[in-house]
Amino acid sequence: MLKNVSRALLREGRKVYKHKLHSKPNFTKNNYDVVRGNYNYVEEEHLNYFRSLLGESRIFTDLSDLEKYNVDWNRYLRGASQIVLKPKTTEEVSKILTFCNHHRLAVSPQGGHTGMVGGATPVFDEVIISTELMNEIISLDEKAGILTCLAGCVLQNLDEYLAERNLIFPLDLGAKGSCQIGGNVSTNAGGLRVLKYGNLHGNVLGLEAVQANGVVLDFLTCHKKDNTGYHLKHLFIGSEGTLGVVTKVAVQCKLRPKSLHVAFLGLQSFDKVLQTFYKAKQDMDEILTAFEVIDAPSMDLVTSKLELESPIGDYPFYVLIETTGSNEEHDEEKVNQFLESCLKKHHILNGTVTGEISKARGIWQLREKIPEAFKYDGYVFMYDISLPLDHYYKLVDDMREYMGDKSHRVYGFGHIGDGNIHLQISVKEFSPEMKSFIEPYIFHQTKKYNGSISAEHGMGFLKAKYLHMMKTPETINLMKNVKQMMDPNGILNPYKVLV
Amino acid sequence: MARVLVGVKRVIDYAVKIRVKPDKTGVVTDGVKHSMNPFDEIAVEEAVRMKEKKLASEIIAVSCGPTQAQDVIRTALAMGVDKGIHVEVSGAEYETLQPIHVSKILAKLTEKEKADMIIVGKQAIDDDSNQTAQMTAAALDWPQATFASKIENGDKEITVTREVDGGLETIKCKLPAVISADLRLNEPRYATLPNIMKAKKKPITKMTPKDLGVDVSPRITVVSVEDPPVRQAGAILPDVDALVGKLKEGGHI
């Protein structure tokens, strides 16, 4: 009997994840030492205004509807917002902010809500402005490769739209199925293609943002070169919604590469990882798109909790290499020569390589799904750190020793190509004592190695109080002045970044 | 120990979005990523496991198609297959190549190679024909065990669990036999680098259907290939009354 097992089913995959019921996280305001700012509470008259502006269907006030907007992706933080607003246009965002600014109502702008540091999660009762209905693509200049869209477009949808037109979005990350471009820009999200395409400061050619007082700022003149006056659009890239709400984005998109190769390698030590990285740069820098490292405890986590499998057996370290280029044969030859010489030089112990998309995706799962496995491993303290390559893994070793038997898993994985490691410490459950045991120690260590305590996740709520470790008092002062000037009432995303 | 023949077809990778050619004669294949038919991969994996358990002595992978068909044979060789046979069929001839032709080719090669077991994927994900295993069994007058989700090898017979409507059916069948692999039979491995390198030295014999005395002249003509109809967008209605109104309007209640 013929079952209709076609492409769709294969795409779904064979695995069904074990779903676990989670208890709700405690309110952030109870778990953390934080005081509500001097803002007004949302009253009936405010609600009436929002209803007249957006209608009933684009306002959520029911607590069960609000849950997904109040609880962060990792289920560590829980805001107490009473209302979600879903504007569709810049004008609506402008009217909402004008009103909130006038009535001193704090707001929490929110995109796909996939952030790792609580930047999009309300802390108290901030009004949530969700961009999820602002999901229209405005235009695509196919020749120049410039895509202009509203802030709520989901990254994966944009990339699929571009793929049909032979273009590629310069940003790719594990949360691509949910994260929205407005949030990506506001957090200067890094992800998996930074090595090849650079970060969003380079790729965002233009944007539109709404200031706290409702004034719309148009920076949509999409020139690759435009040195006329201050480069103010960059204030909105990476300021995590504290200076304005990004409503439109224009992004530079390159031609989609024709050839793709993904290799997955097993290595004996971190030194070998570095040797392999330098060799990869020498042999095929022009096609190298990603160079990712995964340590053994990370691999154990993702394979044991999500029923995935290492295709090559167990090793102390794993490396995932992706190359993309314009000529299948040339690329294949380069990749194969590189791999053969790595084997010969004993940089690597084993590995696999594929030019097939479906297999390449299968391999990528092992790397991309690691964060998904966190929730099955107790409470996970997460750190997103930049380090000089010589110290890249030293911090993990340090922390493992420091934690001793207080943690059942200290592990690291990340983008070697960008000097960015994701370091996690799993403990049985959250406690403020544990947190203060780990922090700020880990940040001092990071600083000792000349690292950054937030590479691509931002400061959000969770890291904000450590800003002083990374920035001089003079710099922070200027940041405060900018904030004061652009948002004098401090209504935009309070308790985040600058505290 | 059995000599196993596996069929491997080169198809458009399942992760690729299929596009119909503007003239509706087929789908766009130029510049599109191809890979081994996933069900054939399962067939290869099963054969390799048999060899690892010393239940099979030699595995031969066969692919019918243009020059690029050798890519999937290489993949099979890297997974652990011993040798490959590429039956070259290209151009217009390949476009009308049907399971009837492929099964005749497989039957001839089986006799030539003295194989006593054939494993193929239950269907290819491009034409979804699901005929090759059955027709090959007929051409050889061998028993067939299709949609296998489990194979247990005995001395002169095999026990095969088949996925059928509403459950599983277990059958015994005498060797030699033709088996078709279903999705849950196993999970194919990734070829490791040392094996990929070794595979480069394994032999691939090239021949044509003519060499085997198989006539591949078309039995069918493709009239038209069309995209599936686009699903109409839904609408959100404000309340139950509006829903009832719409249903009445559409003559549903």
Side-chain angles (χ1 to χ4, degrees), chain B residues 3 24 81 98 193 217 243:
Chain B
R3 284 171 64 78
K24 298 190 173 179
V81 166
Q98 287 282 299
L193 288 175
S217 55
L243 174 66

Side-chain angles (χ1 to χ4, degrees), chain B residues 1 49-57:
Chain B
M1 279 198 287
R49 288 186 192 185
M50 284 180 192
K51 193 175 176 200
E52 285 168 349
K53 286 188 225 151
K54 309 244 180 288
L55 296 167
S57 57

Side-chain angles (χ1 to χ4, degrees), chain A residues 1-2 340 351-352 355 358-359, chain B residues 13 33 41 123 165 191 193:
Chain A
M1 158 236 42
L2 177 67
E340 275 178 40
T352 183
S358 44
K359 284 222 182 80
Chain B
D13 192 288
K33 279 267 185 193
E41 226 177 339
Q123 71 196 63
D165 273 341
L193 288 175

Side-chain angles (χ1 to χ4, degrees), chain A residues 131 134 151 181-182 185-186 207-210 236 244-249:
Chain A
T131 50
M134 302 179 69
I181 187 60
V185 169
S186 298
L207 57 77
E208 178 194 77
V210 183
F236 300 93
V245 178
V246 173
T247 44
K248 284 178 192 158
V249 177

Side-chain angles (χ1 to χ4, degrees), chain B residues 124-209:
Chain B
I125 62 167
D126 51 0
D127 58 20
D128 277 345
S129 287
N130 183 272
Q131 294 165 344
T132 303
Q134 296 87 332
M135 286 185 177
T136 309
L140 289 163
D141 198 19
W142 284 8
Q144 54 178 292
T146 49
F147 312 113
S149 64
K150 192 177 172 193
I151 303 171
E152 289 152 286
N153 298 59
D155 194 17
K156 289 208 165 77
E157 60 177 22
I158 47 172
T159 307
V160 174
T161 306
R162 309 177 65 233
E163 298 201 355
V164 294
D165 273 341
L168 300 171
E169 179 186 60
T170 307
I171 59 165
K172 274 190 176 157
C173 109
K174 287 209 165 60
L175 288 174
V178 180
I179 303 166
S180 79
D182 210 332
L183 185 68
R184 278 161 283 266
L185 180 59
N186 60 48
E187 277 200 49
R189 70 194 62 195
Y190 285 79
T192 62
L193 288 175
N195 287 337
I196 292 170
M197 287 185 207
K198 269 185 229 155
K200 287 183 184 157
K201 298 193 182 94
K202 291 181 180 173
I204 298 180
T205 315
K206 214 165 120 177
M207 53 183 71
T208 62

Side-chain angles (χ1 to χ4, degrees), chain A residues 134-261:
Chain A
M134 302 179 69
N135 53 9
E136 233 171 273
I137 291 171
I138 300 165
S139 67
L140 174 68
D141 180 340
E142 286 196 41
K143 285 203 182 83
I146 300 171
L147 175 80
T148 310
C149 65
L150 286 173
C153 290
V154 171
L155 182 58
Q156 188 166 342
N157 296 348
L158 291 177
D159 197 47
E160 280 169 9
Y161 174 84
L162 290 166
E164 282 173 23
R165 288 148 185 88
N166 214 16
L167 294 165
I168 188 166
F169 203 88
L171 174 73
D172 184 20
L173 35 93
K176 59 178 166 266
S178 325
C179 68
Q180 297 170 13
I181 187 60
N184 294 146
V185 169
S186 298
T187 56
N188 187 27
L192 306 165
R193 287 177 187 156
V194 174
L195 186 59
K196 180 161 185 173
Y197 298 108
N199 70 21
L200 288 173
H201 280 289
N203 291 314
V204 171
L205 293 184
L207 57 77
E208 178 194 77
V210 183
Q211 271 184 280
N213 60 7
V215 170
V216 178
L217 299 168
D218 182 348
F219 302 108
L220 277 170
T221 51
C222 308
H223 304 297
K224 276 206 97 168
K225 293 182 170 179
D226 181 14
N227 282 351
T228 53
Y230 299 161
H231 292 227
L232 292 179
K233 72 164 190 251
H234 291 285
L235 281 177
F236 300 93
I237 304 175
S239 55
E240 303 180 49
T242 60
L243 299 180
V245 178
V246 173
T247 44
K248 284 178 192 158
V249 177
V251 180
Q252 166 81 57
C253 306
K254 301 265 178 169
L255 276 185
R256 204 165 190 90
K258 291 195 191 98
S259 103
L260 164 89
H261 289 90

